[in-house]
Amino acid sequence: MKEFAKLGLSKKTLDTLEKKGYKTPTAIQEKTIPLLLEGKVDVIGQAQTGTGKTASFSLPIIEAIKPRAGFVQALVLAPTRELAIQVSKEIESLQGRRNLKVLSVYGGSSISQQIRALKSGVDIVVGTPGRTMDLMRRKELHVSKLTYLVLDEADEMLNMGFLDDIKWILSHTQDDKRMLFFSATMPRPILEIAKKFMREYVVVKVKSDQLTIDTIDQVYYSVKSNQRYASLRRIMAVNKKFHGIIFCKTRRNVDDLAQRLIKDKYSAAALHGDVTQSGRTKILNTFRKGGVKVLVATDVAARGIDVDDITHVVNYSLPQSPEVYVHRIGRTGRAGRQGTAVTFVVPSEERKLKVIERITKKSIARGKLPKVEDILLSKKEDMLNTIKRIINKSDSSKFEDISS
């Protein structure tokens, strides 16, 4: 707790962090929390999923605002329903014994219930842009007295077409608030919004040597385009506890791969922008519970997924940038667990892979695909283990040595 104490957090907050098992701040927390507590500048933080960015903005907000002030004091915008729910739950958890009221608002659920909650008094609202705008237009969500406004996963809100919505929301808030942008990458439109709506601001980046996580084993396989699927099946065949996300470039790629896996008797599901909100919720709940073992997804659709026991992330196709690569693989190796990031690389992409290694300052080992003998051995071991479990659960007297 000494390192957290140095950041300027109160004893009440430090006690809460200790109870939650926090020990030392992450790089992004160490850099942003003091700035936000000081409250003199706006902040743009570049950080990918899994680096503790939610606590980076939540803790200073919790420290600064007054419980039950009678108006919304902080607004956090998130690209997806799942992320909005996740962030609101984490804020509630981090506040400890404080009496702050936190509400998540998003489409696909009852707006009347959200309106009733707002009327009863809310301190912090975490919402998707569409539902936030809807509530503002209905004059049910008032943002004229905000102390803080946060854009979480700003680059993904841009990718999902929320740029105009964000500008509209920002234009209806007062000037004297603190603004915080958090994003895995920093595209030009996001920086342009910062220049237009922020006052004095600083950009905080995690150093390249801190971008990858030590609990993730990174490996790549050099394959031809038409060998990807066969290679994937070999890897999954020797990893019986495979519970992972496979990233593809397009929605069509996602559907095609998911259908092939399902046809070959794998417990798989597709997740992309064409999936309905109710369908998405059902798929993610099943994935969290282990009913679906393989989730095939696009980058945008996978945002907001927070599952600690993901064993593998597979880059079925190499991502366009090192930042996206880091963002993808950060979904495994969480909560102290070991994870594996697998990347398929066609010969023409070798140079792009070297760029990723240079930017992340992490060498990615070249792997050898499991041989047929390895797969057969794995299946034999599974069969023996199954037989042993059956024997152990049964009356051993039924299995006396017939040679006696």
Side-chain angles (χ1 to χ4, degrees):
M1 281 298 106
K2 289 182 180 179
E3 296 301 317
F4 272 110
K6 290 178 183 177
L7 304 183
L9 296 167
S10 67
K11 186 179 184 306
K12 187 183 288 187
T13 295
L14 293 174
D15 289 343
T16 300
L17 292 175
E18 189 169 16
K19 288 178 182 177
K20 284 179 60 65
Y22 282 67
K23 293 180 180 179
T24 56
T26 64
I28 194 68
Q29 290 167 357
E30 196 170 29
K31 292 183 176 186
T32 56
I33 289 175
L35 284 171
L36 299 177
L37 288 174
E38 190 177 5
K40 293 182 179 180
V41 292
D42 293 340
V43 175
I44 300 177
Q46 184 169 349
Q48 70 279 3
T49 295
T51 56
K53 61 183 173 54
T54 303
S56 296
F57 63 77
S58 298
L59 293 174
I61 290 174
I62 289 168
E63 293 269 67
I65 66 176
K66 297 178 180 179
R68 304 304 173 104
F71 54 88
V72 177
Q73 302 170 72
L75 173 62
V76 181
L77 295 175
T80 66
R81 164 191 173 135
E82 289 76 28
L83 187 57
I85 294 171
Q86 175 190 325
V87 169
S88 63
K89 286 182 177 178
E90 187 160 356
I91 294 173
E92 287 177 344
S93 173
L94 290 169
Q95 71 165 308
R97 294 184 178 181
R98 291 180 174 89
N99 196 28
L100 295 170
K101 183 69 180 296
V102 185
L103 175 67
S104 54
V105 298
Y106 43 81
S109 62
S110 172
I111 193 169
S112 59
Q113 289 182 7
Q114 294 171 5
I115 290 172
R116 284 197 296 271
L118 286 168
K119 287 182 176 178
S120 68
V122 173
D123 300 301
I124 302 172
V125 171
V126 185
T128 53
R131 181 51 61 92
T132 299
M133 285 179 63
D134 195 356
L135 289 166
M136 288 173 64
R137 283 180 172 138
R138 293 174 184 234
K139 302 191 184 303
E140 300 292 352
L141 172 57
H142 304 283
V143 294
S144 59
K145 297 181 180 179
L146 290 180
T147 305
Y148 290 95
L149 191 147
V150 180
L151 293 189
D152 195 10
E153 306 280 16
D155 54 347
E156 283 312 307
M157 285 195 272
L158 172 65
N159 291 339
M160 294 172 73
F162 290 134
L163 185 62
D164 290 338
D165 294 354
I166 291 169
K167 290 179 179 178
W168 187 90
I169 293 169
L170 293 178
S171 68
H172 285 76
T173 60
Q174 84 287 11
D175 294 333
D176 61 340
K177 62 185 177 301
R178 288 269 76 91
M179 291 185 63
L180 326 169
F181 287 8
F182 282 89
S183 189
T185 59
M186 284 297 159
R188 184 175 296 174
I190 296 300
L191 293 175
E192 288 175 352
I193 288 180
K195 291 176 182 178
K196 181 176 181 179
F197 292 99
M198 285 183 167
R199 292 173 289 177
E200 182 182 356
Y201 67 88
V202 295
V203 178
V204 175
K205 293 183 180 180
V206 175
K207 291 181 180 178
S208 297
D209 59 0
Q210 296 170 310
L211 281 175
T212 52
I213 303 169
D214 292 336
T215 54
I216 302 174
D217 294 324
Q218 299 178 60
V219 61
Y220 81 93
Y221 297 95
S222 184
V223 298
K224 294 179 181 178
S225 294
N226 61 357
Q227 294 176 331
R228 284 193 179 103
Y229 185 67
S231 302
L232 175 65
R233 288 197 60 185
R234 288 194 179 199
I235 291 167
M236 293 172 67
V238 296
N239 291 279
K240 296 300 179 183
K241 294 183 179 180
F242 188 103
H243 183 210
I245 303 176
I246 303 174
F247 285 97
C248 296
K249 284 183 180 178
T250 68
R251 298 175 184 182
R252 182 173 180 177
N253 294 153
V254 166
D255 282 333
D256 289 346
L257 178 56
Q259 287 169 11
R260 290 186 74 177
L261 288 167
I262 293 168
K263 185 178 180 181
D264 289 333
K265 308 303 181 184
Y266 289 96
S267 174
L271 194 67
H272 51 63
D274 287 344
V275 177
T276 64
Q277 184 61 59
S278 60
R280 176 185 174 87
T281 300
K282 184 178 180 180
I283 289 169
L284 290 178
N285 285 340
T286 309
F287 181 64
R288 287 190 182 95
K289 294 174 183 176
V292 167
K293 291 293 184 182
V294 186
L295 193 64
V296 188
T298 57
D299 289 298
V300 172
R303 288 297 172 106
I305 297 176
D306 187 35
V307 181
D308 286 338
D309 62 349
I310 290 174
T311 63
H312 289 73
V313 167
V314 178
N315 295 301
Y316 200 72
S317 53
L318 198 65
Q320 294 300 311
S321 70
E323 291 87 358
V324 173
Y325 172 84
V326 170
H327 201 90
R328 284 182 178 183
I329 71 169
R331 301 185 183 285
T332 188
R334 291 188 175 190
R337 295 180 175 89
Q338 198 69 26
T340 301
V342 172
T343 302
F344 293 134
V345 179
V346 298
S348 62
E349 294 175 327
E350 295 278 356
R351 185 176 295 178
K352 190 186 292 185
L353 182 72
K354 294 298 180 185
V355 172
I356 290 174
E357 289 182 313
R358 188 174 71 249
I359 297 297
T360 61
K361 296 185 179 180
K362 186 79 171 181
S363 178
I364 303 173
R366 179 168 182 164
K368 291 184 178 180
L369 288 167
K371 298 179 181 178
V372 174
E373 306 91 84
D374 299 325
I375 297 170
L376 292 175
L377 180 61
S378 176
K379 289 183 177 180
K380 182 180 178 180
E381 289 175 351
D382 284 344
M383 187 179 296
L384 290 173
N385 288 332
T386 300
I387 293 171
K388 287 178 182 178
R389 284 196 299 270
I390 293 171
I391 292 173
N392 290 334
K393 289 180 180 179
S394 304
D395 183 355
S396 60
S397 63
K398 295 179 181 178
F399 302 92
E400 293 179 356
D401 189 346
I402 61 174
S403 64
S404 60

